[in-house]
Amino acid sequence: MGNVVAIVGRPNVGKSTLFNRLTQTRQAIVNEEAGTTRDRQYGKVEWTGCEFSIIDTGGWVVNSEDVFEGEINKQVQIAMEEADAILFVVDVITGVTDLDDNVAGILRRSGKPIIIVANKADNYDIHALASEFYSFGLGDPFCVSAINGSYTGDLLDKIVEVIPKGKEEQPEEELPRITVVGRPNAGKSSLINSFIGDERHIVTDIAGTTRDSIFTKYNKFGLNFYLVDTAGIRKKGKVVEDLEYFSVIRSIRAIENSDVCILIIDAERGIESQDTNIFSIIQKNKKSLVVCVNKWDLVEDKSQQAIKTYVNAIQNRFAPFVDFPVLFISATTKQRIFKVLEKAKEVYDNRQRRVPTAKLNEVMLPIIDKTPPPAWKGKYVKIKYITQLPGGSIPSFVFFCNLPQWVKEPYRRFLENKMRENWDFTGTPIQVFMREK
């Protein structure tokens, strides 16, 4: 958990195709959900029991067609700083170009595990052409075809072999982990500083997990948990950094290591695509969520109407998951700061909530009787029994029925909403499974 593999290379060598191929190896992870944009760039891969995140650097460049050398070099630099292993994708048909040489030169100095991926080797005859990539001095090139998937299994074996093992030192106690995420400059650091305040002696910095999330133990006012700070920890490297890209990689690591994410939105700037991106990563990792609109002290119109409009706007952007608390705060004036932590704790408790089987059936079966799943081609779905799965990171419920495959997404969502009406799962995702009796 927590390993990040970056894909680098010049445009048009097939980085995104490779990305899709790798993330879909075992299960289709890149899903085209409505509303998640640019969603190709981050995926999770599981291979032989090892899980890692994969990031396609190409997609983050803003000016699509005319990607300049500098832009690519900058991305390679960032990938080198942030990733645990790097896939350097080249095109076996075109062979070595100046730009490739350039990138290889930077990578040689990185000291990170580098795998050269010679892509577009669509048939075996082409493999011989890959020998010219030995000139990079980065070891054996791996011939693959991202389009038809040949040899990608070997590539995954290689990745699993080179990524660092067991670099995660978990904090000692099993406490809730609460992470503050958000765009650069939304006020993450100031929020964390106001949380920690002057009672410095309570803070213990456990530099654990990843290189750049610092676990701070927080216990006062009867709350006890780890705050995972993603903001401003790293020294500014030699990189003139691409803020968006950097903050996304950093957020990914932090989100994966947390239970509850506090997503900070800048009240003056509103919801931006970056916020939606971070939200989609939180959702993919099935983490609980509290949304905080920061810098509320700077907003002129604080009427109920304005607040309502704001909440609606946030829910529309993050739909269909809308059951999460939204707080209006100011980190500098400490307005409602404590409320944030209280809410995060509540959301964490909701995440742990267990509903007794008897109660579940007593409440849900009458609802289902009243509005059964729509019939499909004259077949009626009968749901007989419901239970909550033990353990698991988020509340998961199994509905036993005769024809699980006919229960479609809208009805699952209906069931989820009914459960949310009856039990407090605010802020936390829940899973609904249909199983045959």
Side-chain angles (χ1 to χ4, degrees), residues 208-260:
T209 58
T210 50
R211 294 183 291 263
D212 44 17
S213 305
I214 289 191
F215 275 71
T216 304
K217 190 147 171 214
Y218 181 97
N219 60 2
K220 42 187 177 184
F221 314 121
L223 295 170
N224 192 8
F225 49 75
Y226 286 114
L227 267 179
V228 189
D229 176 8
T230 56
I233 291 159
R234 305 197 51 127
K235 53 186 192 305
K236 288 263 199 323
K238 297 171 290 296
V239 185
V240 184
E241 62 187 25
D242 187 321
L243 272 180
E244 295 257 302
Y245 178 68
F246 237 150
S247 67
V248 167
I249 295 197
R250 206 168 299 149
S251 309
I252 287 170
R253 283 184 184 273
I255 289 167
E256 287 177 348
N257 282 314
S258 68
D259 295 310
V260 179

Side-chain angles (χ1 to χ4, degrees), residues 20 77 121 138 240 247 273 275 277 295 304 306 337 361 372 376:
N20 292 341
Q77 291 281 1
L138 289 167
V240 184
S247 67
S273 66
D275 299 319
N277 272 344
K295 310 190 184 173
Q304 282 311 106
I337 284 294
N361 287 287
W376 177 264

Side-chain angles (χ1 to χ4, degrees), residues 22-37:
L22 295 181
T23 46
Q24 285 168 340
T25 43
R26 281 296 158 93
Q27 65 265 64
I29 293 156
V30 183
N31 47 1
E32 309 292 320
E33 291 150 37
T36 48
T37 47

Side-chain angles (χ1 to χ4, degrees), residues 191 194 293-298 328-337:
L191 182 64
S194 0
V293 180
N294 189 22
K295 310 190 184 173
W296 194 238
D297 51 323
L298 306 177
F328 293 85
I329 63 165
S330 159
T332 42
T333 65
K334 293 196 171 26
Q335 182 187 13
R336 296 193 200 86
I337 284 294

Side-chain angles (χ1 to χ4, degrees), residues 80-94:
M80 284 185 347
E81 290 224 342
E82 296 283 342
D84 299 299
I86 296 172
L87 302 182
F88 175 26
V89 185
V90 287
D91 177 341
V92 71
I93 307 290
T94 326

